[in-house]
């Protein structure tokens, strides 16, 4: 339980164990990536638990039976925010190989802490927005500024808020508050709500810069 209407914290023991690995500053990039991948499966389990199903008929080797499959009218869109969000997208693709992947390129201006766009693979024409399910992926929900910009991209194309999910490893209360105030029906799935942001917009205790930890570009 937490104080936010639509924030789901996956505090499964496997998540907690792997969070302890990725928070450790001495963890190598290789071990970091593998631990994040293990958490990713559990985050996606939660993020997709309410996807709509439809009945279908299947012939087993013995007889026909009625099964359920994902509603074929719904298009699932995986939208990783570059670059750190890429750590989630391989697993997301593995679990949902039929999904569309639409990358979002933005980085954070370290002075203003606002997102700067440099790439966006979202089509201008977005048909049947009510049939899209959007999973926006970014390991760190810090100030909430990038999350809000990414959500707006889809909300402005008339995708209902309830169809949009934001998946993160670690979230800061400041960012959660901001996103939930602006988009109360967008669901946020995270493995931890940490204490606060520091003056540079980093999550405390957090894990440092997620992109640097994933791609081994930490400068010591
Ligand atoms: N982005 C990161 O990678 N880490 C933080 O703590 C905040 C934003």
């Amino acid at each position: 339980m937490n104080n936010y209407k639509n924030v789901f914290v996956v505090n499964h023991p496997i998540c907690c164990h792997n969070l302890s690995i990725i928070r450790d500053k001495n963890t190598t990039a290789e071990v970091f990536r593998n631990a994040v991948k293990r958490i990713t499966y559990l985050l996606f389990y939660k993020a997709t638990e309410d996807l709509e199903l439809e009945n279908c008929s299947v012939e087993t080797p013995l007889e026909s039976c009625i099964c359920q499959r994902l509603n074929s009218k719904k298009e699932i869109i995986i939208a990783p925010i570059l670059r750190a969000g890429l750590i989630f997208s391989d697993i997301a693709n593995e679990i949902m190989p039929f999904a569309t992947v639409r990358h979002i390129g933005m980085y954070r201006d370290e002075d203003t802490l606002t997102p700067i766009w440099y790439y966006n693979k979202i089509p201008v024409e977005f048909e049947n927005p009510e049939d899209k399910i959007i999973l926006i992926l970014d390991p760190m929900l810090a100030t909430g500024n990038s999350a809000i910009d990414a959500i707006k991209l889809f909300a402005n194309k008339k995708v209902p808020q309830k169809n949009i999910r934001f998946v993160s490893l670690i979230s800061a209360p400041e960012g959660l508050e901001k996103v939930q105030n602006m988009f109360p029906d967008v669901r946020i799935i995270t493995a931890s709500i940490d204490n606060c942001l520091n003056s540079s917009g980093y999550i405390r205790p957090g894990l440092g810069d997620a992109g640097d930890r994933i791609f081994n570009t930490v400068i010591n």
Side-chain angles (χ1 to χ4, degrees), residues 106-150:
M106 54 169 106
Y107 66 90
R108 184 161 73 155
D109 180 305
E110 295 299 341
D111 295 323
T112 62
L113 302 182
T114 52
I116 313 282
W117 285 88
Y118 63 90
Y119 185 74
N120 154 9
K121 193 70 184 148
I122 315 301
V124 179
E125 298 297 331
F126 217 61
E127 280 174 16
N128 306 322
E130 65 287 351
D131 287 332
K132 314 274 191 222
I133 307 289
I134 316 290
L135 292 149
I136 302 172
L137 316 180
D138 191 351
M140 307 301 272
L141 198 171
T143 61
N145 294 336
S146 317
I148 285 173
D149 269 19

Side-chain angles (χ1 to χ4, degrees), residues 84 108 140-143 197 201-204 206-212:
R108 184 161 73 155
M140 307 301 272
L141 198 171
T143 61
L197 296 176
Y202 277 83
I203 301 177
R204 291 177 52 191
L207 48 73
D209 186 293
D212 283 339

